Amino acid sequence: MTSSTRLAPQPLLASAQPSHTAWLCGISRARHQLLDAGAVFKDELALEILGPEEAARVIQEVEGDGPRGRRRENGSIAQAMRGALAARSRIAEDTLCEAVSDGATQYVLLGAGLDTFALRDRWPSGLERVFEVDHPATQRWKQQLAERAGLQMPSAACFVPVDFEQQDFIEQLKAHGWRPDQRTVFSWLGVTMYLAPAAVQATLARIGNWAAPGSVLVFDYVRRPSAMDLPRRWGLQLMARKFSRMGEPWRCFLGDDELEKLLSSNGFDTHEFISPRVLMRTLLAHRAPSLLQRGLGSIMGGVARVRVGARQDKVLQTLTPPSGTSQTSS
């Protein structure tokens, strides 16, 4: 990408504020352990990372008679959203295990939020380094939470604070020891929908042009409904409005053909798209979805797993890096 096509800054977070959606996702992972016994995704630190006061509040809420209590969960939107979040984390970590057994040695979480993988003592054998990339404000907040919980990052893992409006995340990764010549698994969850489409393209280009061939990227996205699909368009507007009120609006919606072209043009040669319908038949099959949950699933796009293809040369890597590729957190 040349300097003439650099991106304008796309601020997502106030400079001193952590991501609100990162907090909500962290709570959702904790509730999955309590309400579903981690049926889809086991995370023994999901409650601890919230801190003792918040963990106690979540437990009290689950066991109470309020709208977020156990008795009112069945068939709810909250239950469906929690299942989707658990499923995407499960896919990312299953993909990591498969890729490491095939030679990958590095794991990069873009927009790591309150993800606890690096803190858990069960890395797959062969994984050498873990890098958590996130906005500095979100990382400072996470570090404070981890310290209060008595959790420490292992020496083979590190935080990579990136101001995405000012810095190139690839350059920051390299400065923290990431090796482009070694296969990497990138987890990019709960991010694309908050970015401008040009920022999504720029991030895909940086990974496709820099990561070693055979590296894998896992990300989720929201599908753009067709002009004639009025129910989906209406449902998507309601969801987008909800996140906009939080100060982190949805910006990017991707059509199927558009996403295929975007991946192919940025160096990815293997594409696998896991739709909400497939998730309901597989990872989420332990609970029959309600009509409301099926409707919600039709709004979302699902999870993509893509592989970096072989490159003939490294010319693209020498071009001026884009700026303004803001990320949020999962």
Side-chain angles (χ1 to χ4, degrees), residues 3-23:
S3 58
S4 62
T5 58
R6 284 189 177 189
L7 303 174
Q10 298 289 337
L12 288 176
L13 304 174
S15 60
Q17 296 297 320
S19 167
H20 185 57
T21 53
W23 181 238

Side-chain angles (χ1 to χ4, degrees), residues 281-293:
R281 293 201 311 264
T282 54
L283 289 178
L284 303 177
H286 61 286
R287 179 181 291 109
S290 67
L291 182 62
L292 185 64
Q293 292 171 340

Side-chain angles (χ1 to χ4, degrees), residues 60-73:
Q60 183 179 32
E61 193 175 62
V62 164
E63 300 303 333
D65 293 325
R68 293 175 63 79
R70 189 185 301 274
R71 297 176 186 176
R72 296 191 178 182
E73 276 289 302

